[in-house]
Amino acid sequence: MRPVTVYDIAREANVSVATVSRVLNNTAPVKKETRERIVALMHKHQFQPNALARSLSRKETGMIGFILPDITNPFFPEVLSGFDYEARKLGYTYFLCDTISTNEENERLYDRQYERESQYLSLLMEKQVDGIVIIGGRVDLAKPGEELAREVEEAAKRVPVLLLNGNLPQTHLNRIAADQKLGAQLAVQHLIDLGHRDIAVIGGYAKMTNTQQRLLGFRTAMKEAGLNVRKEWVLTEGFSVQKGQEFASRLLGAKRRPSAIFCMNDLLAIGALKAAHRLGIRVPEQLSIVGYDDIPQATYSIPELTTVSLQSQEIGRQAAKTLDKMIAGKKVPRLQSIMPELIVRETTAPFTEPSA
Amino acid sequence: MRPVTVYDIAREANVSVATVSRVLNNTAPVKKETRERIVALMHKHQFQPNALARSLSRKETGMIGFILPDITNPFFPEVLSGFDYEARKLGYTYFLCDTISTNEENERLYDRQYERESQYLSLLMEKQVDGIVIIGGRVDLAKPGEELAREVEEAAKRVPVLLLNGNLPQTHLNRIAADQKLGAQLAVQHLIDLGHRDIAVIGGYAKMTNTQQRLLGFRTAMKEAGLNVRKEWVLTEGFSVQKGQEFASRLLGAKRRPSAIFCMNDLLAIGALKAAHRLGIRVPEQLSIVGYDDIPQATYSIPELTTVSLQSQEIGRQAAKTLDKMIAGKKVPRLQSIMPELIVRETTAPFTEPSA
DNA sequence: ACCCAGGATGAAACCCGTTTCACAAACAAA
DNA sequence: TTTGTTTGTGAAACGGGTTTCATCCTGGGT
């Protein structure tokens, strides 16, 4: 059966569609009895206005595109849930756009992310979304002037784009980001305060600005404490539990090993925890570990992870609020910094000389 | 600047919009040079067809609504990622609809889920989605004839609706679901085979059909082995790590305690693991634990969880494929059962008499 | 030379709302 | 009573595509 339209209602109520539209949107006064007659008919027929038609003429859709790299990475659901909370309050719905590729074996492939990201960018624009938020992915990687960055900037000319946690350098795009450098400094300073001197870092991708920022924070804290960074204790290219286990095994298997490891995210930290366990190294007594992100899983492990909270939900909420303002044409600050916070739990302890 | 439309292209190419539309969709032959001229103009102006307008006349949007209860529960991102994979291949985009409510303190509230679910149902229909998939939430709870169930069925008359893992009894709606009873049986049988006789179950919600099914599987396996179920060892109402810890503490703190715990999901199992650890009970030597769902986090814990895999990604993939068929008007089986699989890892071991 | 099947194309209707404009009626102020 | 402002309403244009129908051409078959 054909869905009922304003025309059907109008005909049956002996009014014009204009009037029906008016009661639908309360956009102009309608005589009380006329209104009631129309409302009754709407209920009777379970009238649901066609949002496509409405959006087409209104030139606004109430739809947002949310581009993220990998929904199975628990960090993203966290920010997404914060975003969802505000977005819904503001009356938006959103498309979820995951830029990761998986092959038939469910292995995650990060190589085609760029391609996917720009595909989504134009797809979303065709769908006439009111705004786009991008977290992770290319915005973390692109260098100024690069083709990739240009595409995003191009899109931003046609529709509000908000970057989360990204770090597209030298861009005029609005962003909300945690201070990555500070977060790393917090973590490393904590280890130093506990008396650690042999500190390693694992994870991240050397090309990602986020990683670079955190590495910078790490180096800064080390330098200020007069400690030097051994380059074989800086292991990058990876963000998974798997990788964390791998990196930590390598670190802990060597003759000289660090007494503390700073991990670029919690997944890596969990991997490090596993590696230590396999090698019979007790955490935190013999090895301190600090994670990053404070995903819910950080409290699932035994011992629970000491980590740097990026306030993921808060970022998501801010994102929704800010994008809404941008859509409304209001001015918003170019960069909103979210202060990271160190959450001390159970994987860090004062340094003690190995008894053996 | 106003976006460029088919009319703009048509005017500049000295053709009618019909012709432009034809080259856009390859829907009828167009003279080669005309086509080339039009294509060139499209590129020149970076023409992007307005998907709203297109959908409005085509009466299909390529949009799907995906309703789930809580994206921060890692089970859902898993099925979502499987769904994403296929949906994208088939050319769909989807709205993510999270039915959980959170208050300002980010606490999750499940009480208003119903309301949210029906709001989303009509919202999605207004947005003219081509189909809707619902996982968890009301479809797990509703009894036949109930108001809630009716709403879903009502929606299903207007747009294809697919239920995942739900168990709306006596409904004619299409569903894809893992065999919950079998999954539980597998888990419990495994424990019994290992020599356990004192087995407890924790988690779930008594009103959820899923929980009921699993409980049924549990009881069946116990009965077949001639074991009886102690009712103080059946603890329901909860699905979180927190709850798991609580339940397990209660169980393990009692004078008489089980030698094995079957958990209604992996989060609970992780909680149980933590409780055991706090109480100094070694897993799996002194206590075996089996989870359910096989979320990625099941391998993050130490020891790694033995669990029942629901093949979450697979369910998601099937969902996309099936919904696509439904949208195309093809017949699909009323119920597709996904076989659960027991994944034996490190939290289960043969029963041994307590040495003390 | 004649007929017919495509090929190529345009005019116009259609999808379903919103919004502008015009106009009549009702009511208030002067 | 006259003028000015609301209230109440409809006709029609609009948003940006798709699709049907009609028309004109062209090449192949006989």
Side-chain angles (χ1 to χ4, degrees):
Chain A
M1 49 186 168
R2 195 176 53 72
V4 7
T5 71
V6 281
Y7 290 90
D8 302 323
I9 303 287
R11 194 178 328 113
E12 200 171 336
N14 270 312
V15 295
S16 73
V17 289
T19 303
V20 176
S21 177
R22 286 193 262 262
V23 344
L24 201 52
N25 304 294
N26 242 306
T27 166
V30 173
K31 208 206 299 181
K32 198 175 169 213
E33 32 182 296
T34 313
R35 143 168 287 119
E36 281 166 359
R37 187 153 32 102
I38 292 175
V39 168
L41 283 171
M42 285 179 170
H43 279 123
K44 177 181 162 203
H45 292 104
Q46 301 196 60
F47 170 72
Q48 291 189 308
N50 182 321
L52 294 178
R54 167 174 289 174
S55 299
L56 184 58
S57 64
R58 282 230 255 252
K59 288 169 170 304
E60 66 174 48
T61 57
M63 307 188 305
I64 291 175
F66 199 109
I67 302 181
L68 48 73
D70 178 10
I71 189 67
T72 64
N73 177 333
F75 176 73
F76 297 111
E78 282 300 306
V79 352
L80 198 54
S81 95
F83 176 81
D84 181 278
Y85 177 81
E86 290 294 338
R88 173 169 35 215
K89 277 210 298 193
L90 295 165
Y92 293 102
T93 49
Y94 56 94
F95 293 111
L96 185 66
C97 304
D98 196 320
T99 56
I100 209 176
S101 322
T102 41
N103 59 17
E104 289 291 336
E105 279 71 44
N106 286 339
E107 290 167 307
R108 306 183 187 298
L109 309 172
Y110 288 85
D111 49 339
R112 297 184 48 202
Q113 247 176 335
Y114 284 174
E115 193 185 325
R116 299 280 295 282
E117 203 169 309
S118 63
Q119 280 171 219
Y120 271 130
L121 233 31
S122 45
L123 179 64
L124 289 171
M125 290 174 52
E126 287 182 12
K127 298 269 184 199
Q128 310 298 122
V129 295
D130 290 340
I132 297 177
V133 0
I134 309 180
I135 183 166
R138 120 174 351 159
V139 297
D140 284 337
L141 280 172
K143 298 210 173 45
E146 230 174 296
E147 167 64 20
L148 313 164
R150 245 207 317 283
E151 266 180 68
V152 181
E153 293 187 0
E154 204 55 46
K157 283 184 197 155
R158 321 190 128 267
V159 56
V161 171
L162 181 60
L163 267 31
L164 296 194
N165 256 14
N167 216 337
L168 217 50
Q170 287 177 21
T171 184
H172 57 282
L173 297 175
N174 293 330
R175 340 190 255 119
I176 298 180
D179 186 329
Q180 305 288 348
K181 183 187 165 203
L182 180 61
Q185 267 179 287
L186 248 36
V188 177
Q189 191 57 52
H190 170 61
L191 292 172
I192 293 171
D193 290 345
L194 288 171
H196 293 276
R197 302 181 55 81
D198 296 337
I199 306 177
V201 219
I202 63 173
Y205 289 98
K207 276 199 285 184
M208 288 181 49
T209 49
N210 265 347
T211 299
Q212 290 163 6
Q213 293 292 313
R214 295 181 199 175
L215 233 28
L216 184 61
F218 171 76
R219 288 183 202 282
T220 305
M222 292 294 273
K223 190 167 196 171
E224 281 176 5
L227 302 174
N228 75 319
V229 177
R230 302 181 50 150
K231 64 174 171 307
E232 68 274 29
W233 284 358
V234 178
L235 266 28
T236 63
E237 307 321 300
F239 262 137
S240 62
V241 173
Q242 178 72 36
K243 277 291 175 187
Q245 198 164 351
E246 221 173 287
F247 292 148
S249 300
R250 203 181 318 163
L251 246 28
L252 301 174
K255 297 150 299 263
R256 169 133 187 223
R257 59 161 126 116
S259 71
I261 302 179
F262 169 50
C263 307
M264 289 291 195
N265 77 5
D266 289 340
L267 262 22
L268 292 157
I270 288 168
L273 218 46
K274 300 194 70 165
H277 186 260
R278 297 258 184 268
L279 294 167
I281 297 171
R282 291 199 314 282
V283 177
E285 295 82 355
Q286 296 170 276
L287 175 72
S288 284
I289 295 178
V290 183
Y292 208 100
D293 284 354
D294 193 30
I295 58 178
Q297 286 73 14
T299 65
Y300 297 175
S301 63
I302 305 169
E304 298 185 356
L305 284 182
T306 291
T307 187
V308 176
S309 166
L310 254 32
Q311 325 229 68
S312 30
Q313 296 228 9
E314 186 52 30
I315 291 180
R317 290 186 176 200
Q318 276 304 331
K321 289 189 207 164
T322 303
L323 193 58
D324 178 56
K325 280 190 197 141
M326 290 169 65
I327 291 169
K330 297 182 193 151
K331 273 268 168 253
V332 299
R334 187 89 84 217
L335 168 66
Q336 294 178 59
S337 254
I338 303 274
M339 281 302 122
E341 197 183 335
L342 182 72
I343 312 283
V344 178
R345 284 197 272 251
E346 304 170 345
T347 53
T348 47
F351 171 72
T352 52
E353 211 63 49
S355 46
Chain B
M1 48 185 167
R2 194 175 55 73
V4 8
T5 72
V6 281
Y7 291 91
D8 301 323
I9 302 288
R11 194 178 329 111
E12 201 170 336
N14 270 310
V15 294
S16 73
V17 289
T19 303
V20 176
S21 177
R22 286 193 262 263
V23 345
L24 201 52
N25 303 295
N26 244 303
T27 166
V30 173
K31 209 205 302 180
K32 195 170 171 220
E33 32 182 298
T34 313
R35 142 167 289 120
E36 280 166 359
R37 186 153 33 100
I38 292 174
V39 168
L41 283 171
M42 285 178 169
H43 279 124
K44 177 181 161 202
H45 293 105
Q46 301 196 61
F47 170 71
Q48 290 188 308
N50 183 322
L52 294 178
R54 166 174 292 174
S55 299
L56 184 58
S57 62
R58 281 230 256 253
K59 290 170 170 300
E60 66 174 47
T61 57
M63 308 189 304
I64 291 175
F66 198 111
I67 302 182
L68 50 74
D70 179 10
I71 189 67
T72 65
N73 176 332
F75 176 73
F76 297 110
E78 283 299 306
V79 351
L80 199 54
S81 96
F83 176 80
D84 182 277
Y85 177 82
E86 290 294 338
R88 172 169 35 213
K89 278 211 298 194
L90 295 165
Y92 293 102
T93 49
Y94 56 95
F95 293 112
L96 186 66
C97 304
D98 198 320
T99 56
I100 209 175
S101 321
T102 41
N103 60 16
E104 288 291 337
E105 279 72 44
N106 287 337
E107 289 167 307
R108 306 183 188 297
L109 309 173
Y110 288 84
D111 50 339
R112 295 184 49 202
Q113 246 176 336
Y114 284 174
E115 192 186 324
R116 298 282 294 283
E117 203 170 309
S118 64
Q119 280 171 218
Y120 271 129
L121 233 32
S122 47
L123 179 64
L124 289 172
M125 290 172 52
E126 286 183 13
K127 298 269 183 196
Q128 311 297 123
V129 294
D130 290 340
I132 298 178
V133 1
I134 309 181
I135 183 167
R138 119 176 348 161
V139 296
D140 284 337
L141 281 172
K143 297 209 174 45
E146 229 174 298
E147 167 63 19
L148 313 165
R150 245 208 317 284
E151 264 181 69
V152 180
E153 293 185 2
E154 204 54 47
K157 284 184 197 155
R158 321 189 127 268
V159 56
V161 172
L162 181 60
L163 266 31
L164 297 194
N165 256 15
N167 216 338
L168 217 51
Q170 288 176 20
T171 185
H172 57 280
L173 296 176
N174 292 329
R175 342 189 254 119
I176 298 179
D179 186 330
Q180 304 289 347
K181 183 186 165 204
L182 179 61
Q185 267 179 287
L186 249 34
V188 177
Q189 192 57 52
H190 170 60
L191 292 171
I192 293 171
D193 291 345
L194 287 171
H196 292 277
R197 305 181 53 82
D198 297 336
I199 307 177
V201 220
I202 62 173
Y205 290 99
K207 276 199 284 183
M208 286 181 51
T209 48
N210 264 347
T211 299
Q212 290 162 7
Q213 293 290 314
R214 295 180 200 176
L215 234 28
L216 184 60
F218 171 76
R219 289 184 202 281
T220 306
M222 292 294 274
K223 190 168 198 174
E224 281 177 3
L227 302 174
N228 74 319
V229 177
R230 303 180 51 151
K231 62 173 173 306
E232 68 273 30
W233 284 0
V234 178
L235 267 26
T236 62
E237 308 319 301
F239 262 137
S240 63
V241 173
Q242 179 72 36
K243 277 292 174 185
Q245 198 165 352
E246 222 173 285
F247 293 148
S249 299
R250 203 180 319 161
L251 247 28
L252 301 174
K255 296 150 299 268
R256 167 131 187 226
R257 58 161 126 116
S259 72
I261 302 179
F262 168 51
C263 308
M264 291 289 197
N265 78 6
D266 289 340
L267 260 23
L268 292 157
I270 288 168
L273 218 46
K274 299 193 70 165
H277 186 260
R278 298 255 183 271
L279 293 168
I281 296 171
R282 289 199 315 281
V283 176
E285 294 82 355
Q286 297 170 276
L287 175 72
S288 283
I289 295 177
V290 183
Y292 207 99
D293 284 354
D294 193 30
I295 58 176
Q297 285 72 14
T299 65
Y300 296 176
S301 63
I302 303 169
E304 297 184 358
L305 285 182
T306 292
T307 186
V308 176
S309 167
L310 255 32
Q311 323 229 66
S312 30
Q313 296 228 8
E314 186 53 29
I315 291 180
R317 289 185 176 202
Q318 276 304 332
K321 289 190 208 164
T322 303
L323 193 58
D324 178 56
K325 280 189 198 141
M326 290 169 65
I327 291 169
K330 298 182 193 150
K331 274 267 168 254
V332 300
R334 187 87 84 217
L335 168 65
Q336 293 178 62
S337 253
I338 303 275
M339 281 302 123
E341 197 181 335
L342 181 72
I343 312 284
V344 178
R345 286 197 271 251
E346 304 169 345
T347 52
T348 48
F351 172 71
T352 52
E353 213 61 50
S355 48

